[in-house]
Amino acid sequence: VFVGEVTAWKGDFSQRGTQSLTIVALDRLHRLRRNRRQRTFTQVKDSDAVDKVASECALSTQLEPTPIVQDSIQQWNQTDADFVLERASLFGYVAYVDDKQLHFHPPQLDAGPVATLGWREELTAFRTTVSLSEQQGQLKTTGWNMLEKAPIEATVAAGDERSRMGGSRSGGEQVKPVDAQQPTWDAH
């Protein structure tokens, strides 16, 4: 059911009424939330920095190396968890702890279902909201390359998705009949 660590007990033992004992258990990612740190990693890949952080918290790693050796990587007043999740976000990776192992890799979007839940069997209640309005047909982002002293620009459009997650049409294609006008969105 759960693999992790018991981190607290909460007892409520009143003279009258019901008594209760609540056991608080967390996965081992909680180990990375204990301290805020300020440090610099030099001449390393982001995945190497993540590996070091995990080993300091007694976690093994299953990671896919990131492609770039950075001159320096700052962990500035962040918990180790915030630092690892930020590094994952920068590369489009996922980061999570399973048992005693920190995983750090690109999402496996086409890997198939993680779990199958039967309605009124394992799944007894479910509520969701999906907004289909104002879907973007294109995204353009700009930045500045400090080494080359030149602007950087990247554009992605509907159809450039990394995965269809097992479906035959992308999300943009699915909602096109709902929102026929797809504006362009600029991010700076």
Side-chain angles (χ1 to χ4, degrees), residues 5-13 20-26:
E5 297 174 323
V6 173
T7 58
W9 294 350
K10 298 176 184 178
D12 182 6
F13 305 104
S20 67
L21 176 65
T22 303
I23 298 174
V24 179
L26 302 171

Side-chain angles (χ1 to χ4, degrees), residues 18-36:
T18 59
Q19 288 85 34
S20 67
L21 176 65
T22 303
I23 298 174
V24 179
L26 302 171
D27 69 18
R28 287 179 175 87
L29 181 66
H30 81 89
R31 293 180 177 189
L32 280 76
R33 297 202 181 278
R34 291 181 181 164
N35 298 311
R36 291 189 168 275

